[in-house]
Amino acid sequence: QLVESGGDLVQPGGSLRLSCAVSGFTVSSFHMTWVRQAPGRGLEWVSTIYSDGGGTYYADSVRGRVTISRDSSRNTLYLQMNSLRAEDTAVFYCARYLPVADAFDIWGQGTMVTVSS
Amino acid sequence: SSELTQDPAVSVALGQTVRITCQGDSLRSYYASWYQQKPGQAPVLVIYSKNNRPSGIPDRFSGSSSGNTASLTITGAQAEDEADYYCSSRDSSGYHLRVFGTGTKVTVL
C-alpha cells in the first residue's frame, strides 16, 4: 500500500516536500516513481528512483527543481519540490515500477499540490 | 521528450467491443502498459508487456501492438469500464525516462 501526504497550498516560488509511506514491501527494494495530474488533464511522469544504486531520473519539466529520495528506515519515498510554479498545480501520485512488467503496478491515492498566490 | 497520442474520446454500446489506440515512435522499440482511471480515483494497471493482465483484471481486457501503435481492446464492455484510459511507455529520448499518452475517455452507452 502507498499513502501520499504533504500536499498543500503554496505560493509561487515556494517549496514543498511530499511523502509516500510504503507498507507491504520495502521501498529500497523496488523502483519508485512520482506521477502527477493537473486538474482536468492527463497523467505526467515526474521522476523515478531506482532500487539498485538509487539512480534518479526526472522529466524535463521539473529537472533542477525537484529531488526524489527515499528513507529505508521510515520505508518512505519523498519528492522535494522547490521554485514551485502555477503549472506545478496537480495531484501527485507515487507508484511502484516493476521492470519485469515495465509498468507501474501499485499506486497511491494521491496528494494535491496547489501553487497560487 | 517523445509523445504518445490517443483519441480523446470513444463510445461503445454495452456488451460491444471497443479498441483504444496509442501512437508514438517509442512504441516501435518498447511495449506499452495501460491504465484505467475512474473519476476521483488513482490509476489502475490493466495491461502490461503488450498483452498481460495483472491479477484481478477481467479477461475482456487485452492488448496488442504493431509498428508505432499499441492498442487496448475491451471485448464485451461493461458499465464499470467507463473511465479514462492511458497508455505509457519508455521515452524514446531516454531509456530511463517515461511518458504517458494523452488519454482516452471511454463512454459505455
Side-chain angles (χ1 to χ4, degrees), chain A residues 101 103-107, chain B residues 33-36 43-48 54 57:
Chain A
F104 308 107
D105 69 326
I106 300 174
W107 295 68
Chain B
S33 50
W34 290 90
Y35 304 86
Q36 176 193 69
V44 173
L45 176 66
V46 295
I47 290 289
Y48 65 93
I57 300 301

Side-chain angles (χ1 to χ4, degrees), chain A residues 35 37 41-43 45 50 57-58 93 97 100-104 107-108, chain B residues 1 31 33 35 37 41-43 45 48-49 86 88 90 96-98 100:
Chain A
V35 174
Q37 185 171 36
R41 305 293 296 273
L43 301 174
W45 172 78
Y50 277 32
Y57 304 91
Y58 301 95
Y93 296 99
Y97 172 72
V100 63
D102 196 17
F104 308 107
W107 295 68
Chain B
S1 61
Y31 288 138
S33 50
Y35 304 86
Q37 186 181 35
Q41 298 184 19
L45 176 66
Y48 65 93
S49 297
Y86 296 91
S88 180
R90 294 184 184 276
H96 299 292
L97 309 181
R98 304 289 307 194
F100 282 92

Side-chain angles (χ1 to χ4, degrees), chain A residues 42, chain B residues 5-11 18-22 34-37 72 81-87 101-107:
Chain B
T5 303
Q6 300 178 236
D7 290 331
V10 297
S11 61
V18 62
R19 187 174 75 169
I20 306 161
T21 60
C22 171
W34 290 90
Y35 304 86
Q36 176 193 69
Q37 186 181 35
L72 173 70
D81 299 334
E82 185 163 294
D84 293 326
Y85 290 84
Y86 296 91
C87 59
T102 50
T104 298
K105 168 66 177 176
V106 172
T107 300

